């Protein structure tokens, strides 16, 4: 799988954008840890929480976890569904 195609797919997936809009296409790119042999992106859950709470200063860490659990970590977006890992 082509990394450029995978990043494009992630860019198009609203579930992977902190504010769920087209205005911030890079979304959680800083939370990407790597790529599996099958071409799935691997994200750090903790970094995603950091990104989300930095973007929305009024959002608590607990609320950010809840939001991400519901909107990203459990989302299925096809064969290239990202993997979300804990990076304590």
């Amino acid at each position: 799988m082509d990394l450029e195609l995978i990043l494009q797919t992630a860019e198009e997936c609203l579930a992977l954008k902190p504010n769920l809009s087209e205005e911030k296409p890079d979304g959680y790119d800083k939370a990407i840890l790597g790529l599996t042999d099958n071409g799935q992106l691997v994200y750090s859950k903790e970094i995603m929480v950091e990104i989300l709470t930095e973007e929305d200063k009024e959002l608590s860490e607990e609320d950010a976890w809840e939001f991400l659990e519901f909107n990203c970590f459990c989302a299925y977006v096809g064969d290239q569904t990202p993997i979300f890992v804990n990076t304590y």
Side-chain angles (χ1 to χ4, degrees):
M1 181 61 46
D2 182 317
L3 178 59
E4 187 175 316
L5 176 62
I6 294 166
L7 290 173
Q8 179 183 350
T9 302
E11 181 178 313
E12 293 169 359
C13 178
L14 291 179
L16 297 177
K17 298 176 185 178
N19 59 7
L20 301 176
S21 76
E22 297 294 330
E23 297 167 9
K24 186 171 174 130
D26 59 340
Y28 295 103
D29 286 359
K30 291 180 181 177
I32 295 173
L33 299 175
L35 191 63
T36 68
D37 290 340
N38 295 331
Q40 293 168 278
L41 289 169
V42 179
Y43 287 86
S44 164
K45 290 181 177 181
E46 288 76 14
I47 296 173
M48 289 177 72
V49 168
E50 279 180 32
I51 291 169
L52 190 56
T53 55
E54 286 174 9
E55 173 134 332
D56 185 347
K57 302 289 185 194
E58 295 180 17
L59 192 65
S60 71
E61 188 173 321
E62 183 178 333
D63 288 339
W65 275 102
E66 184 178 327
F67 174 84
L68 289 168
E69 285 288 341
F70 185 79
N71 292 289
C72 291
F73 303 155
C74 295
Y76 178 76
V77 293
D79 291 341
Q80 297 302 311
T81 296
I83 297 171
F84 302 97
V85 297
N86 294 309
T87 52
Y88 303 107

